[in-house]
mmCIF file of all heavy atoms in Angstrom:
data_model
loop_
_atom_site.group_PDB
_atom_site.id
_atom_site.type_symbol
_atom_site.label_atom_id
_atom_site.label_comp_id
_atom_site.label_asym_id
_atom_site.label_seq_id
_atom_site.Cartn_x
_atom_site.Cartn_y
_atom_site.Cartn_z
ATOM 1 N N GLY A 286 -11.190 109.073 -20.164
ATOM 2 C CA GLY A 286 -11.805 107.757 -19.997
ATOM 3 C C GLY A 286 -10.807 106.725 -19.526
ATOM 4 O O GLY A 286 -11.137 105.603 -19.199
ATOM 5 N N PHE A 287 -9.566 107.109 -19.469
ATOM 6 C CA PHE A 287 -8.473 106.249 -19.056
ATOM 7 C C PHE A 287 -8.632 105.781 -17.608
ATOM 8 O O PHE A 287 -8.345 104.646 -17.269
ATOM 9 C CB PHE A 287 -7.194 107.060 -19.208
ATOM 10 C CG PHE A 287 -5.950 106.306 -18.923
ATOM 11 C CD1 PHE A 287 -5.343 105.560 -19.922
ATOM 12 C CD2 PHE A 287 -5.376 106.333 -17.670
ATOM 13 C CE1 PHE A 287 -4.198 104.857 -19.661
ATOM 14 C CE2 PHE A 287 -4.221 105.638 -17.403
ATOM 15 C CZ PHE A 287 -3.630 104.897 -18.409
ATOM 16 N N GLY A 288 -9.118 106.689 -16.781
ATOM 17 C CA GLY A 288 -9.235 106.398 -15.362
ATOM 18 C C GLY A 288 -10.118 105.209 -15.038
ATOM 19 O O GLY A 288 -9.844 104.459 -14.112
ATOM 20 N N ALA A 289 -11.184 105.007 -15.825
ATOM 21 C CA ALA A 289 -12.164 103.957 -15.532
ATOM 22 C C ALA A 289 -11.524 102.577 -15.585
ATOM 23 O O ALA A 289 -11.742 101.737 -14.711
ATOM 24 C CB ALA A 289 -13.317 104.032 -16.522
ATOM 25 N N MET A 290 -10.713 102.360 -16.636
ATOM 26 C CA MET A 290 -10.045 101.074 -16.790
ATOM 27 C C MET A 290 -9.132 100.821 -15.590
ATOM 28 O O MET A 290 -9.072 99.727 -15.052
ATOM 29 C CB MET A 290 -9.208 101.111 -18.061
ATOM 30 C CG MET A 290 -8.896 99.782 -18.645
ATOM 31 S SD MET A 290 -8.281 100.008 -20.331
ATOM 32 C CE MET A 290 -6.763 100.951 -20.040
ATOM 33 N N VAL A 291 -8.424 101.861 -15.211
ATOM 34 C CA VAL A 291 -7.522 101.760 -14.070
ATOM 35 C C VAL A 291 -8.317 101.465 -12.805
ATOM 36 O O VAL A 291 -7.901 100.661 -11.966
ATOM 37 C CB VAL A 291 -6.692 103.052 -13.928
ATOM 38 C CG1 VAL A 291 -5.871 103.013 -12.651
ATOM 39 C CG2 VAL A 291 -5.801 103.243 -15.131
ATOM 40 N N PHE A 292 -9.484 102.083 -12.688
ATOM 41 C CA PHE A 292 -10.322 101.850 -11.514
ATOM 42 C C PHE A 292 -10.729 100.382 -11.440
ATOM 43 O O PHE A 292 -10.630 99.752 -10.391
ATOM 44 C CB PHE A 292 -11.566 102.751 -11.568
ATOM 45 C CG PHE A 292 -12.507 102.520 -10.405
ATOM 46 C CD1 PHE A 292 -12.121 102.862 -9.114
ATOM 47 C CD2 PHE A 292 -13.758 101.959 -10.601
ATOM 48 C CE1 PHE A 292 -12.969 102.646 -8.043
ATOM 49 C CE2 PHE A 292 -14.615 101.742 -9.537
ATOM 50 C CZ PHE A 292 -14.223 102.081 -8.248
ATOM 51 N N VAL A 293 -11.159 99.822 -12.567
ATOM 52 C CA VAL A 293 -11.563 98.417 -12.582
ATOM 53 C C VAL A 293 -10.405 97.526 -12.158
ATOM 54 O O VAL A 293 -10.563 96.609 -11.353
ATOM 55 C CB VAL A 293 -12.096 98.004 -13.979
ATOM 56 C CG1 VAL A 293 -12.353 96.510 -14.040
ATOM 57 C CG2 VAL A 293 -13.372 98.770 -14.299
ATOM 58 N N ARG A 294 -9.210 97.821 -12.657
ATOM 59 C CA ARG A 294 -8.056 96.994 -12.268
ATOM 60 C C ARG A 294 -7.736 97.136 -10.785
ATOM 61 O O ARG A 294 -7.315 96.177 -10.143
ATOM 62 C CB ARG A 294 -6.824 97.358 -13.106
ATOM 63 C CG ARG A 294 -6.947 96.827 -14.509
ATOM 64 C CD ARG A 294 -5.646 96.879 -15.292
ATOM 65 N NE ARG A 294 -6.001 96.799 -16.705
ATOM 66 C CZ ARG A 294 -5.646 97.674 -17.626
ATOM 67 N NH1 ARG A 294 -4.874 98.702 -17.313
ATOM 68 N NH2 ARG A 294 -6.025 97.523 -18.867
ATOM 69 N N SER A 295 -7.943 98.330 -10.257
ATOM 70 C CA SER A 295 -7.678 98.525 -8.828
ATOM 71 C C SER A 295 -8.652 97.716 -7.980
ATOM 72 O O SER A 295 -8.267 97.079 -7.003
ATOM 73 C CB SER A 295 -7.815 100.010 -8.465
ATOM 74 O OG SER A 295 -7.051 100.794 -9.336
ATOM 75 N N ILE A 296 -9.908 97.742 -8.394
ATOM 76 C CA ILE A 296 -10.934 96.953 -7.702
ATOM 77 C C ILE A 296 -10.577 95.465 -7.788
ATOM 78 O O ILE A 296 -10.700 94.710 -6.835
ATOM 79 C CB ILE A 296 -12.324 97.187 -8.355
ATOM 80 C CG1 ILE A 296 -12.828 98.600 -8.090
ATOM 81 C CG2 ILE A 296 -13.320 96.132 -7.902
ATOM 82 C CD1 ILE A 296 -13.725 98.745 -6.897
ATOM 83 N N MET A 297 -10.115 95.066 -8.971
ATOM 84 C CA MET A 297 -9.755 93.663 -9.186
ATOM 85 C C MET A 297 -8.714 93.171 -8.199
ATOM 86 O O MET A 297 -8.746 92.018 -7.776
ATOM 87 C CB MET A 297 -9.163 93.472 -10.590
ATOM 88 C CG MET A 297 -10.166 93.192 -11.671
ATOM 89 S SD MET A 297 -9.292 93.012 -13.245
ATOM 90 C CE MET A 297 -8.541 91.381 -13.001
ATOM 91 N N ILE A 298 -7.755 94.028 -7.869
ATOM 92 C CA ILE A 298 -6.683 93.581 -6.984
ATOM 93 C C ILE A 298 -7.248 93.228 -5.611
ATOM 94 O O ILE A 298 -6.906 92.208 -5.026
ATOM 95 C CB ILE A 298 -5.565 94.644 -6.916
ATOM 96 C CG1 ILE A 298 -4.934 94.788 -8.302
ATOM 97 C CG2 ILE A 298 -4.502 94.281 -5.889
ATOM 98 C CD1 ILE A 298 -4.161 96.058 -8.506
ATOM 99 N N LYS A 299 -8.180 94.053 -5.139
ATOM 100 C CA LYS A 299 -8.813 93.734 -3.869
ATOM 101 C C LYS A 299 -9.650 92.453 -4.002
ATOM 102 O O LYS A 299 -9.602 91.564 -3.150
ATOM 103 C CB LYS A 299 -9.697 94.877 -3.403
ATOM 104 C CG LYS A 299 -10.338 94.551 -2.059
ATOM 105 C CD LYS A 299 -11.000 95.725 -1.402
ATOM 106 C CE LYS A 299 -11.504 95.313 -0.017
ATOM 107 N NZ LYS A 299 -12.460 96.270 0.523
ATOM 108 N N ASP A 300 -10.402 92.372 -5.074
ATOM 109 C CA ASP A 300 -11.253 91.208 -5.292
ATOM 110 C C ASP A 300 -10.427 89.926 -5.338
ATOM 111 O O ASP A 300 -10.761 88.916 -4.704
ATOM 112 C CB ASP A 300 -12.024 91.403 -6.601
ATOM 113 C CG ASP A 300 -12.986 90.267 -6.880
ATOM 114 O OD1 ASP A 300 -13.610 89.787 -5.926
ATOM 115 O OD2 ASP A 300 -13.115 89.861 -8.048
ATOM 116 N N GLN A 301 -9.318 89.964 -6.059
ATOM 117 C CA GLN A 301 -8.459 88.780 -6.161
ATOM 118 C C GLN A 301 -7.927 88.396 -4.780
ATOM 119 O O GLN A 301 -7.906 87.223 -4.415
ATOM 120 C CB GLN A 301 -7.285 89.067 -7.107
ATOM 121 C CG GLN A 301 -7.689 89.220 -8.568
ATOM 122 C CD GLN A 301 -7.847 87.895 -9.283
ATOM 123 O OE1 GLN A 301 -7.117 86.958 -9.020
ATOM 124 N NE2 GLN A 301 -8.811 87.799 -10.171
ATOM 125 N N SER A 302 -7.510 89.386 -4.038
ATOM 126 C CA SER A 302 -7.005 89.111 -2.690
ATOM 127 C C SER A 302 -8.077 88.421 -1.846
ATOM 128 O O SER A 302 -7.788 87.480 -1.096
ATOM 129 C CB SER A 302 -6.561 90.437 -2.068
ATOM 130 O OG SER A 302 -6.664 90.396 -0.674
ATOM 131 N N MET A 303 -9.316 88.879 -1.979
ATOM 132 C CA MET A 303 -10.396 88.269 -1.201
ATOM 133 C C MET A 303 -10.687 86.840 -1.671
ATOM 134 O O MET A 303 -11.048 85.973 -0.881
ATOM 135 C CB MET A 303 -11.663 89.126 -1.288
ATOM 136 C CG MET A 303 -11.565 90.466 -0.570
ATOM 137 S SD MET A 303 -11.399 90.286 1.255
ATOM 138 C CE MET A 303 -9.639 90.465 1.495
ATOM 139 N N GLN A 304 -10.525 86.578 -2.956
ATOM 140 C CA GLN A 304 -10.729 85.206 -3.451
ATOM 141 C C GLN A 304 -9.673 84.273 -2.861
ATOM 142 O O GLN A 304 -9.977 83.176 -2.411
ATOM 143 C CB GLN A 304 -10.675 85.161 -4.986
ATOM 144 C CG GLN A 304 -11.750 85.987 -5.693
ATOM 145 C CD GLN A 304 -13.145 85.653 -5.236
ATOM 146 O OE1 GLN A 304 -13.466 84.492 -4.998
ATOM 147 N NE2 GLN A 304 -13.989 86.661 -5.075
ATOM 148 N N LEU A 305 -8.433 84.733 -2.883
ATOM 149 C CA LEU A 305 -7.374 83.911 -2.301
ATOM 150 C C LEU A 305 -7.601 83.756 -0.795
ATOM 151 O O LEU A 305 -7.410 82.673 -0.235
ATOM 152 C CB LEU A 305 -6.003 84.549 -2.583
ATOM 153 C CG LEU A 305 -4.777 83.782 -2.080
ATOM 154 C CD1 LEU A 305 -4.750 82.348 -2.606
ATOM 155 C CD2 LEU A 305 -3.482 84.504 -2.472
ATOM 156 N N GLY A 306 -8.053 84.834 -0.162
ATOM 157 C CA GLY A 306 -8.349 84.777 1.266
ATOM 158 C C GLY A 306 -9.427 83.749 1.582
ATOM 159 O O GLY A 306 -9.335 83.014 2.565
ATOM 160 N N SER A 307 -10.463 83.686 0.741
ATOM 161 C CA SER A 307 -11.506 82.676 0.957
ATOM 162 C C SER A 307 -10.917 81.283 0.842
ATOM 163 O O SER A 307 -11.192 80.402 1.661
ATOM 164 C CB SER A 307 -12.613 82.762 -0.104
ATOM 165 O OG SER A 307 -13.040 84.054 -0.299
ATOM 166 N N ALA A 308 -10.130 81.081 -0.201
ATOM 167 C CA ALA A 308 -9.574 79.747 -0.448
ATOM 168 C C ALA A 308 -8.697 79.303 0.717
ATOM 169 O O ALA A 308 -8.800 78.163 1.192
ATOM 170 C CB ALA A 308 -8.772 79.741 -1.752
ATOM 171 N N ILE A 309 -7.878 80.194 1.205
ATOM 172 C CA ILE A 309 -6.961 79.793 2.272
ATOM 173 C C ILE A 309 -7.711 79.627 3.599
ATOM 174 O O ILE A 309 -7.348 78.777 4.421
ATOM 175 C CB ILE A 309 -5.752 80.767 2.377
ATOM 176 C CG1 ILE A 309 -4.726 80.235 3.364
ATOM 177 C CG2 ILE A 309 -6.161 82.162 2.774
ATOM 178 C CD1 ILE A 309 -4.140 78.907 2.990
#
Side-chain angles (χ1 to χ4, degrees):
Chain A
F287 184 86
M290 203 166 63
V291 173
F292 178 67
V293 173
R294 286 193 200 125
S295 309
I296 291 266
M297 272 180 74
I298 296 161
K299 181 168 185 196
D300 183 39
Q301 291 278 324
S302 152
M303 291 294 99
Q304 298 306 321
L305 182 55
S307 313
I309 187 61

